[in-house]
Amino acid sequence: MSCSMLRRITRGSLGVLTATLLAVATAGTALAAHSPMVVSQFKMHDLSRNDLGARTGDTFITRKQAMEDLDALGDAIAGNSSYIWSTTFPYRDMIEQIKTRLPAKVSVNGLSTQVNKFVRLFGDDHAQVVDWTKRIPQGSLPFQFGKSDTRYFIFTLAPAGFVNKDFPYVRSIDGVLIDEWVRVAGDIAQGPYSSTAARESKGYGLLPFVDYLRGEMGLPIKPDAVLEMVSENGRESTRMTVPVSAAPVKRELSTFRLPDESRLLEGNVGYLRVPAHMGDKAKRFIATVDQTMAEFRNTDALIIDARMSGGGARRVLNSLFPYLMKADDKPYIFNVVKLRLPENDPDFGPLAVFDDDAKRFLYAPNPANPANEAEAYREFAKTFRPVWNPPADKFTDWYFMTQRPRADKPYYGKPVYMLVDWGMGSAGDIFASAFKGWRNVITLGTPTMGRSGQSVVFPLPHSKLGVNLSTMASFQKTGERYDTAGIRPDIVVEPAPTDWFGATDTVLERARAMIAMRLADEAAAR
């Protein structure tokens, strides 16, 4: 089957397209002649275009109404944002620039894309327009993107495999180098100040939206896309013409095909799977973790697999971490925060804010704090130096979160290896940062996404767009923020391309090999 057959597939026929793409993997392909690369016109701070939203389902407001919405957004940032002072971004000036370019009849979907790009520009990794990807043109490439070292490849999950196994890597799309597509997708989907892991992970999800990205990059909108694909050895390439699907490929955390269940591995190693930090999977983990840890009590080592666990709440962390604490361990502080003081809220009280069993932050000035935890904070504060100091007149004093030993969770003192990756964010970042550097724990994998901010949605009055903004400045025990940084593992282990669609799991195998070597060395030393 030749690549030219792809041209005859109708727009939107995803099932047929997937089968045909996989058939190309076994077909003969010709070397592609190189042609000059096209230059993208995308500029990160150009927020002037109101014509980049989806036309289907769009609504319109007047220019005056859009300007009032932008003023309301500026007021929401001024009165509530916890990260606007972490950069020097002139948000009021940028809002005025957007206003001057608004048309008389303003597209709400177009305004969504403008505002979404705007709030990505000041280092708040939770900031976004709610459901913004539903308001962009939906024309998409019918596969997913992954990365191996510095090369990007395309694959499908059903059926699982490379789109073209003979030429798996993407050099360009529509004549534009894939690196530029990745840059644009990362700038839009996450923002320039975000961690590399956050930019790439969110960019992977946006890359298939080829029609929207074409609009941002100044490229023509066409019914198909031309991909230049490269062989494993990098010496050969071919061109592949792919119809653009009317509906997007849904990107889920099913990537990597990780299990939900824990189990005992060969070699007497416990495999404790943390599949999520919210929802039914998190509830099941919390309900069963005590039984699972009892079953693993006599294992020689433990692997905690938290990859692709997302974010949510901290109850999963609270249910597990005490197993790694000795009965005489002092309270362990791993996360400190300051809350933005809300303007015009006379009922705000700092002591009642975190009345939540998932977080249980203690307010440092509160004299009623338990004595041992208050003492732990005083010791911690002696050496804690945040990378950025939130302005004192705009924020509360410090809150701190601790882990404490629990008699009902007996100490597990064997080696622990935690697997982490870019599929962990927010509560997932907190989870990884709590374990990193703790006794007997080695983290391995790839850096986490990096985000923590107690986000709140602020509705705009006329367009009814909801804008998510962080209201809490959150710091790791090292003084780094979570936003812009993420958690870098002790040992970086990149997944192999075949890991992405579940054919292999080289990160888990690396952890098992490290454990086997460690146990063998310990046995030889006895």
Side-chain angles (χ1 to χ4, degrees):
M1 182 179 295
S2 69
C3 292
S4 63
M5 291 185 64
L6 294 174
R7 297 185 179 89
R8 299 198 294 271
I9 301 175
T10 59
R11 185 180 179 94
S13 53
L14 177 58
V16 176
L17 175 60
T18 300
T20 307
L21 288 175
L22 292 175
V24 171
T26 59
T29 53
L31 275 175
H34 293 290
S35 59
M37 288 292 127
V38 178
V39 178
S40 164
Q41 299 176 24
F42 177 78
K43 293 181 175 59
M44 185 173 57
H45 291 87
D46 182 3
L47 308 173
S48 63
R49 293 184 61 181
N50 184 243
D51 62 336
L52 294 175
R55 294 183 180 180
T56 303
D58 200 5
T59 57
F60 295 87
I61 57 178
T62 66
R63 184 173 187 270
K64 181 176 183 295
Q65 289 173 322
M67 292 173 71
E68 290 174 353
D69 273 11
L70 290 169
D71 285 337
L73 174 59
D75 291 343
I77 292 171
N80 302 276
S81 170
S82 56
Y83 289 131
I84 192 61
W85 292 288
S86 68
T87 68
T88 57
F89 180 65
Y91 70 99
R92 290 289 192 184
D93 292 343
M94 293 298 291
I95 285 176
E96 292 305 314
Q97 289 184 32
I98 298 173
K99 285 183 183 179
T100 62
R101 301 291 294 275
L102 288 172
K105 185 180 179 182
V106 176
S107 158
V108 170
N109 285 349
L111 186 64
S112 170
T113 66
Q114 292 174 284
V115 171
N116 188 71
K117 287 188 291 182
F118 166 72
V119 297
R120 295 296 198 190
L121 294 175
F122 50 86
D124 179 352
D125 285 335
H126 273 101
Q128 63 176 329
V129 173
V130 177
D131 290 334
W132 68 277
T133 56
K134 295 180 181 179
R135 294 181 175 274
I136 61 176
Q138 299 296 291
S140 302
L141 298 175
F143 37 70
Q144 303 197 52
F145 288 79
K147 183 186 179 188
S148 176
D149 191 23
T150 58
R151 297 187 292 183
Y152 293 86
F153 56 89
I154 52 177
F155 67 98
T156 57
L157 289 172
F162 294 116
V163 170
N164 188 334
K165 66 181 180 65
D166 295 322
F167 296 86
Y169 300 103
V170 184
R171 173 175 284 149
S172 67
I173 303 173
D174 289 350
V176 177
L177 289 174
I178 186 62
D179 310 81
E180 176 64 3
W181 287 88
V182 171
R183 179 187 76 85
V184 173
D187 280 346
I188 295 171
Q190 195 57 52
Y193 289 111
S194 298
S195 70
T196 300
R199 286 173 51 81
E200 290 183 347
S201 63
K202 293 300 182 180
Y204 296 143
L206 188 60
L207 276 172
F209 287 90
V210 64
D211 279 354
Y212 168 59
L213 292 176
R214 282 166 163 169
E216 292 280 9
M217 296 165 71
L219 303 175
I221 307 299
K222 303 179 296 182
D224 53 34
V226 177
L227 283 73
E228 185 175 3
M229 307 297 296
V230 180
S231 62
E232 177 63 45
N233 63 18
R235 298 175 181 174
E236 300 171 315
S237 64
T238 189
R239 286 202 184 91
M240 190 168 71
T241 300
V242 181
V244 176
S245 172
V249 172
K250 187 177 181 181
R251 178 135 186 127
E252 299 177 345
L253 293 182
S254 57
T255 299
F256 295 98
R257 299 298 198 201
L258 299 172
D260 289 338
E261 305 301 326
S262 302
R263 65 188 187 275
L264 183 66
L265 301 177
E266 183 180 354
N268 197 32
V269 175
Y271 174 81
L272 183 66
R273 174 66 179 142
V274 180
H277 298 278
M278 65 184 298
D280 291 339
K281 291 181 180 181
K283 291 177 182 177
R284 284 197 296 272
F285 178 90
I286 294 168
T288 59
V289 65
D290 293 338
Q291 177 183 341
T292 304
M293 288 301 293
E295 293 170 357
F296 290 166
R297 179 148 186 81
N298 294 318
T299 54
D300 293 322
L302 178 67
I303 294 174
I304 301 174
D305 188 352
R307 293 173 295 172
M308 293 288 141
S309 56
R314 307 184 187 199
R315 293 181 181 88
V316 168
L317 169 64
N318 295 340
S319 72
L320 176 60
F321 195 91
Y323 278 106
L324 302 189
M325 301 191 77
K326 297 178 180 179
D328 59 353
D329 276 336
K330 295 179 180 179
Y332 165 50
I333 297 172
F334 59 94
N335 182 200
V336 292
V337 308
K338 284 190 172 187
L339 282 175
R340 180 65 201 279
L341 288 170
E343 296 185 357
N344 304 317
D345 185 0
D347 297 325
F348 177 79
L351 296 182
V353 172
F354 287 114
D355 188 14
D356 182 344
D357 66 328
K359 287 195 172 80
R360 193 187 173 269
F361 278 106
L362 299 178
Y363 192 45
N366 185 3
N369 288 336
N372 63 338
E373 293 182 89
E375 176 59 26
Y377 175 74
R378 286 191 291 270
E379 288 299 311
F380 173 86
K382 289 178 181 179
T383 57
F384 176 70
R385 298 292 182 271
V387 294
W388 161 66
N389 285 297
D393 62 328
K394 298 291 186 180
F395 286 79
T396 64
D397 205 330
W398 291 103
Y399 294 81
F400 61 97
M401 188 176 183
T402 68
Q403 289 292 335
R404 304 159 310 285
R406 286 176 50 177
D408 61 332
K409 294 182 181 287
Y411 175 58
Y412 182 89
K414 304 296 179 58
V416 176
Y417 290 75
M418 174 174 284
L419 311 186
V420 299
D421 68 2
W422 53 261
M424 302 170 67
S426 197
D429 290 300
I430 306 297
F431 187 88
S433 71
F435 283 91
K436 183 180 178 181
W438 187 251
R439 174 195 311 120
N440 293 338
V441 177
I442 294 175
T443 56
L444 69 156
T446 56
T448 66
M449 193 179 300
R451 54 176 58 195
S452 179
Q454 191 88 342
S455 61
V456 174
V457 175
F458 297 90
L460 303 185
H462 300 296
S463 64
K464 307 304 180 185
L465 296 173
V467 183
N468 209 44
L469 298 172
S470 289
T471 62
M472 176 179 77
S474 184
F475 296 83
Q476 303 178 45
K477 57 182 178 284
T478 59
E480 292 179 283
R481 284 203 283 151
Y482 289 89
D483 293 61
T484 76
I487 315 304
R488 185 173 178 83
D490 299 311
I491 301 173
V492 175
V493 183
E494 293 277 351
T498 48
D499 292 353
W500 287 69
F501 45 82
T504 56
D505 191 344
T506 56
V507 180
L508 176 60
E509 291 308 310
R510 174 71 178 275
R512 295 184 66 178
M514 291 173 64
I515 290 171
M517 184 177 298
R518 178 173 179 170
L519 296 178
D521 289 345
E522 290 175 355
R526 287 197 291 268

